[in-house]
Amino acid sequence: MSSENIAETKIIILHLVSDTPGITYHMLMEKCMESLLTDFFTFSQCYNELIAGNMLEKISENDGTGSTTADSSEDLLFITEGGKAVLDDIKGALDQRTVSFLSSAASSLQKQLSERNSHRASVRVEAGFYYADLTFNDKAGQIFSASVRCEDKDKAKDICSTWKKDASRIVDSFNELFGK
């Protein structure tokens, strides 16, 4: 792999994370691979170097108990101030094909991220009880919210996992049940 290919891959990664803050590793990897400018190994090397160089930041979602649930299965990525400074310095050097790809990719990723964030699930502990807190949002805001008290942490985690897999159908069924 050439140093030019590595530099271009790093620029693409920084640009995509800058345009879609909160993107997941897998979303980023898939979009970079679609560019046909990089392979998995080059992507991995560049990604790790950007993290180590404090140009990207990984933040874990928290489910309220310190455990992983459907919401916290992946780290979210954000560009740091250092990453922004580097990106601002090199943006002008991008060729038109790369700029076109980045614009299209950012639009696609923003839609994916919006869909991913449309439903949330987390476990909350209050007064010795476990709750599965569930929400569903559309473009106008929150359209469904529920807290389910559970007998234990495992049950709350199971409810959260089910919600993440099938929230849209569950909300539709709820609306049908109440004639909405």
Side-chain angles (χ1 to χ4, degrees), residues 16-175:
L16 291 176
V17 173
S18 177
D19 288 348
T20 52
I23 188 174
T24 68
Y25 170 85
H26 289 98
M27 292 167 75
L28 177 64
M29 178 190 64
E30 287 172 9
K31 199 51 72 177
C32 285
M33 304 281 284
E34 280 179 25
S35 74
L36 301 178
L37 298 174
T38 189
D39 58 42
F40 173 76
F41 299 106
T42 304
F43 168 80
S44 294
Q45 175 187 340
C46 293
Y47 171 82
N48 289 326
E49 288 176 6
L50 290 169
I51 294 289
N54 294 318
M55 291 187 204
L56 292 180
E57 179 179 22
K58 293 189 300 186
I59 297 177
S60 295
E61 290 180 290
N62 186 337
D63 73 350
T65 67
S67 297
T68 299
T69 66
D71 271 343
S72 59
S73 61
E74 289 194 272
D75 291 328
L76 305 180
L77 303 173
F78 298 89
I79 191 167
T80 64
E81 289 302 317
K84 287 178 189 175
V86 168
L87 186 58
D88 287 343
D89 288 344
I90 56 179
K91 268 187 180 178
L94 298 175
D95 63 50
Q96 186 54 43
R97 187 183 74 129
T98 303
V99 169
S100 178
F101 167 76
L102 289 169
S103 176
S104 172
S107 177
S108 171
L109 287 169
Q110 287 165 354
K111 182 179 177 191
Q112 273 184 285
L113 201 55
S114 176
E115 289 172 12
R116 180 184 187 273
N117 293 334
S118 70
H119 48 282
R120 310 303 283 161
S122 62
V123 176
R124 174 174 50 94
V125 182
E126 187 176 302
F129 292 103
Y130 288 94
Y131 293 86
D133 292 329
L134 315 170
T135 61
F136 193 85
N137 304 301
D138 65 9
K139 290 180 182 179
Q142 191 174 83
I143 60 172
F144 182 89
S145 177
S147 289
V148 180
R149 190 176 74 200
C150 303
E151 60 267 11
D152 59 35
K153 180 178 165 181
D154 289 335
K155 182 64 177 172
K157 288 171 66 173
D158 287 345
I159 290 171
C160 288
S161 182
T162 299
W163 180 257
K164 285 300 288 187
K165 292 175 187 167
D166 215 7
S168 194
R169 188 192 61 74
I170 295 168
V171 169
D172 288 345
S173 295
F174 181 85
N175 287 333

